[in-house]
Coordinates of all heavy atoms in Angstrom, one line a residue:
V302 N 130.0 115.0 97.4 CA 129.2 115.4 98.6 C 128.2 116.4 98.2 O 127.0 116.3 98.7 CB 130.2 115.9 99.7 CG1 129.4 116.5 100.8 CG2 131.0 114.7 100.2
A303 N 128.5 117.3 97.3 CA 127.6 118.4 96.9 C 126.4 117.7 96.2 O 125.2 118.1 96.4 CB 128.3 119.4 96.1
V304 N 126.7 116.8 95.3 CA 125.6 116.1 94.5 C 124.7 115.4 95.5 O 123.5 115.4 95.4 CB 126.2 115.2 93.4 CG1 125.2 114.3 92.8 CG2 126.9 116.0 92.3
R305 N 125.3 114.7 96.4 CA 124.5 113.9 97.4 C 123.7 114.8 98.3 O 122.5 114.5 98.6 CB 125.4 113.0 98.2 CG 126.0 111.9 97.5 CD 126.9 111.0 98.3 NE 127.7 110.1 97.5 CZ 129.0 110.0 97.6 NH1 129.7 110.7 98.5 NH2 129.6 109.1 96.9
S306 N 124.2 116.0 98.6 CA 123.5 116.9 99.4 C 122.2 117.4 98.6 O 121.1 117.6 99.2 CB 124.4 118.1 99.8 OG 123.6 119.1 100.4
I307 N 122.4 117.7 97.4 CA 121.3 118.1 96.5 C 120.2 117.0 96.5 O 119.0 117.2 96.6 CB 121.7 118.5 95.1 CG1 122.6 119.7 95.2 CG2 120.5 118.6 94.2 CD1 123.4 120.0 93.9
R308 N 120.7 115.7 96.3 CA 119.8 114.6 96.3 C 119.0 114.5 97.7 O 117.8 114.3 97.7 CB 120.5 113.3 96.1 CG 119.6 112.1 96.2 CD 120.4 110.8 96.3 NE 121.1 110.8 97.5 CZ 122.1 109.9 97.7 NH1 122.5 109.0 96.8 NH2 122.8 110.0 98.9
R309 N 119.7 114.7 98.8 CA 119.0 114.6 100.1 C 118.0 115.7 100.2 O 116.8 115.5 100.7 CB 120.1 114.8 101.2 CG 119.6 114.6 102.6 CD 120.6 114.6 103.7 NE 121.9 114.1 103.2 CZ 123.0 114.9 103.0 NH1 122.9 116.2 103.1 NH2 124.2 114.4 102.6
T310 N 118.3 116.9 99.8 CA 117.3 118.0 99.8 C 116.1 117.7 99.0 O 115.0 117.9 99.4 CB 118.0 119.3 99.3 OG1 119.1 119.6 100.2 CG2 117.0 120.5 99.4
L311 N 116.3 117.2 97.8 CA 115.2 116.9 96.9 C 114.3 115.7 97.5 O 113.1 115.8 97.4 CB 115.7 116.6 95.5 CG 116.2 117.8 94.7 CD1 116.8 117.3 93.4 CD2 115.1 118.8 94.5
N312 N 115.0 114.7 98.0 CA 114.3 113.6 98.7 C 113.4 114.1 99.8 O 112.3 113.7 100.0 CB 115.2 112.5 99.2 CG 115.5 111.5 98.1 OD1 114.7 111.2 97.3 ND2 116.7 110.9 98.2
D313 N 114.0 115.0 100.6 CA 113.2 115.6 101.7 C 112.0 116.4 101.2 O 110.9 116.3 101.7 CB 114.1 116.6 102.5 CG 115.1 115.8 103.4 OD1 115.0 114.6 103.5 OD2 116.0 116.5 103.9
D314 N 112.2 117.1 100.1 CA 111.0 117.8 99.5 C 110.0 116.8 99.0 O 108.8 117.1 99.1 CB 111.5 118.7 98.3 CG 112.3 119.9 98.7 OD1 112.3 120.2 100.0 OD2 113.0 120.5 97.9
I315 N 110.4 115.7 98.4 CA 109.5 114.7 97.9 C 108.7 114.1 99.0 O 107.5 114.0 99.0 CB 110.2 113.6 97.1 CG1 110.8 114.2 95.8 CG2 109.3 112.4 96.8 CD1 111.8 113.3 95.1
K316 N 109.4 113.8 100.1 CA 108.7 113.2 101.3 C 107.7 114.2 101.9 O 106.6 113.8 102.3 CB 109.7 112.8 102.3 CG 110.5 111.6 102.0 CD 111.6 111.3 103.0 CE 112.4 110.1 102.5 NZ 113.5 109.8 103.4
L336 N 115.6 110.2 90.7 CA 116.6 111.1 91.4 C 117.9 110.3 91.7 O 119.0 110.8 91.5 CB 116.0 111.7 92.6 CG 116.9 112.6 93.4 CD1 117.3 113.8 92.5 CD2 116.1 113.1 94.6
T340 N 121.6 111.0 90.2 CA 122.7 111.2 91.2 C 123.8 110.2 90.8 O 125.0 110.7 90.8 CB 122.2 110.9 92.6 OG1 121.2 111.8 93.0 CG2 123.3 111.0 93.6

Side-chain angles (χ1 to χ4, degrees):
V302 168
V304 168
R305 291 183 191 126
S306 175
I307 292 166
R308 178 194 60 197
R309 188 176 325 108
T310 300
L311 291 173
N312 270 330
D313 290 346
D314 291 346
I315 291 168
K316 287 177 186 174
L336 180 58
T340 300

